[in-house]
Amino acid sequence: MTSFKFTKMHGLGNNYIYVNLFEEQLEEAKLPEIAKQVANVYTGIGSDGLILICPSDKAEVKMRIFNNDGSEGKNCGNGLRCVAKYAVEHKLVLDTEFKIETLSGLVEAKVQLENDQVKLVTVDMGEPRLLKSQIPMAGDGNEKTINEKMEFDGQIYEVTTVSMGNPHVIFYVDDINQAPVTTLGPIVEKDERFQEGVNVEFVQVVSEKELHFRVWERGSGVTQACGTGACAAVVSSVLNNYTNHGEETTVHLAGGDLQIKWTKAGTVLMTGPAEVICEGTYYLSE
Ligand SMILES: N[C@@H](CCC[C@H](N)C(=O)O)C(=O)O
């Protein structure tokens, strides 16, 4: 029977099973199935998906993320903070500032240590991509979607789209507790105008410095937090003049808070926690 060692970690409740591929070996063709298996609450461990911590020839470490439906995503903000914590605490990297490779490019992580343990991680998530061709979505590929009317399920909404290496569409709501996360979320996720699907975010503007946020994630459904989604929400809020470029915004997610800044230099900085839940050995059912 195939088995592998895992660590379950979370960033604000967005939890994944992490496997260290510096030490373990998993068959490439089986990765989507492994992600589905480990994520299953009844017959697996239970998680939002699977994250692989891999050797890289471009950076100190590489992250790959699989959602709980087995689909592979190109980026994961909460996952990056957890990978950074794991890499430092397991001495895969010896510095407190280092690069992580993702399927959407390189990002830079900086960890804050307390008694040799990583508590907070800041990740420079790079520049947001705003053109329709970069989301990707239907329409003129050279145009952006900022507060644009789109119809979903027979109703018109004003939406903004942002890629943080993965696709996000942002809806503004008056009351976050009434946001149609589980009803509109799955419809928008699979809308064919988003050729690769989309992560769906609902945002309530509290002030120039604060947002409430809920998410329906592509491939995983409702999660407690989405780091790339929170970055996309801050970029969207600057574009819609709700918050200020170059200033830090606190994003309140279901699992806790992230500090996010779209810097004047153009990249997005995300700061938040990363936590270990448990470690163990998983026995794969064939
Ligand atoms: N939870 C993540 C994003 C995970 C991938 C996403 N569902 C996708 O398919 O793009 C985050 O913290 O960013």
Side-chain angles (χ1 to χ4, degrees):
M1 183 179 267
T2 311
S3 68
F4 55 84
K5 298 239 176 329
F6 72 87
T7 303
K8 183 172 179 178
M9 302 179 80
H10 78 96
L12 301 177
N14 187 201
N15 61 95
Y16 294 91
I17 305 307
Y18 290 78
V19 181
N20 175 0
L21 293 196
F22 285 79
E23 288 175 3
E24 303 291 326
Q25 286 189 334
L26 296 178
E27 217 179 294
E28 178 68 31
K30 288 198 177 147
L31 295 176
E33 175 54 29
I34 295 172
K36 286 196 264 185
Q37 259 193 45
V38 297
N40 191 304
V41 196
Y42 303 104
T43 56
I45 306 163
S47 69
D48 294 323
L50 170 73
I51 290 187
L52 306 177
I53 302 169
C54 319
S56 166
D57 51 15
K58 299 195 180 77
E60 280 84 348
V61 58
K62 175 177 175 178
M63 175 188 77
R64 285 180 71 187
I65 180 245
F66 292 81
N67 295 307
N68 68 20
D69 70 353
S71 61
E72 184 164 13
K74 290 193 177 134
N75 203 1
C76 178
N78 294 317
L80 283 165
R81 297 198 312 281
C82 291
V83 168
K85 176 181 172 73
Y86 185 100
V88 169
E89 292 181 0
H90 290 78
K91 306 210 180 323
L92 302 177
V93 300
L94 300 174
D95 209 345
T96 52
E97 287 182 43
F98 52 94
K99 288 192 168 57
I100 304 177
E101 182 186 351
T102 71
L103 286 193
S104 63
L106 294 177
V107 300
E108 287 184 9
K110 187 175 174 183
V111 303
Q112 293 176 40
L113 290 162
E114 256 177 52
N115 303 322
D116 286 339
Q117 291 211 317
V118 173
K119 289 290 169 206
L120 281 178
V121 183
T122 300
V123 184
D124 184 332
M125 302 289 288
E127 294 189 9
R129 302 159 204 184
L130 301 174
L131 299 180
K132 287 183 200 286
S133 57
Q134 295 172 311
I135 300 302
M137 65 185 287
D140 182 339
N142 294 316
E143 285 193 352
K144 299 172 185 167
T145 309
I146 301 172
N147 196 31
E148 187 174 303
K149 287 189 171 46
M150 282 183 84
E151 186 188 322
F152 297 100
D153 201 26
Q155 258 188 269
I156 306 286
Y157 297 90
E158 280 156 0
V159 301
T160 298
T161 60
V162 175
S163 170
M164 291 304 306
N166 58 350
H168 298 273
V169 58
I170 291 94
F171 292 74
Y172 287 94
V173 295
D174 292 334
D175 178 358
I176 202 67
N177 296 313
Q178 304 296 324
V181 186
T182 56
T183 46
L184 192 57
I187 295 171
V188 177
E189 177 201 0
K190 304 276 184 207
D191 190 288
E192 59 188 18
R193 287 167 289 182
F194 297 102
Q195 295 97 335
E196 296 177 7
V198 70
N199 296 288
V200 188
E201 277 91 28
F202 298 91
V203 174
Q204 178 192 339
V205 179
V206 180
S207 71
E208 280 185 342
K209 294 184 181 306
E210 250 181 292
L211 304 173
H212 284 306
F213 173 101
R214 292 293 178 275
V215 63
W216 177 273
E217 279 197 38
R218 173 177 71 167
S220 289
V222 173
T223 63
Q224 293 287 290
C226 178
T228 50
C231 293
V234 169
V235 170
S236 166
S237 299
V238 169
L239 295 171
N240 283 284
N241 298 315
Y242 293 132
T243 57
N244 300 315
H245 205 174
E247 288 183 14
E248 196 158 77
T249 302
T250 301
V251 183
H252 303 293
L253 304 99
D257 292 354
L258 284 173
Q259 305 300 327
I260 294 175
K261 188 199 281 187
W262 185 13
T263 66
K264 287 279 171 74
T267 65
V268 180
L269 300 179
M270 169 196 62
T271 302
E275 305 281 346
V276 174
I277 299 168
C278 62
E279 295 178 333
T281 303
Y282 186 77
Y283 299 93
L284 208 56
S285 41
E286 303 296 339

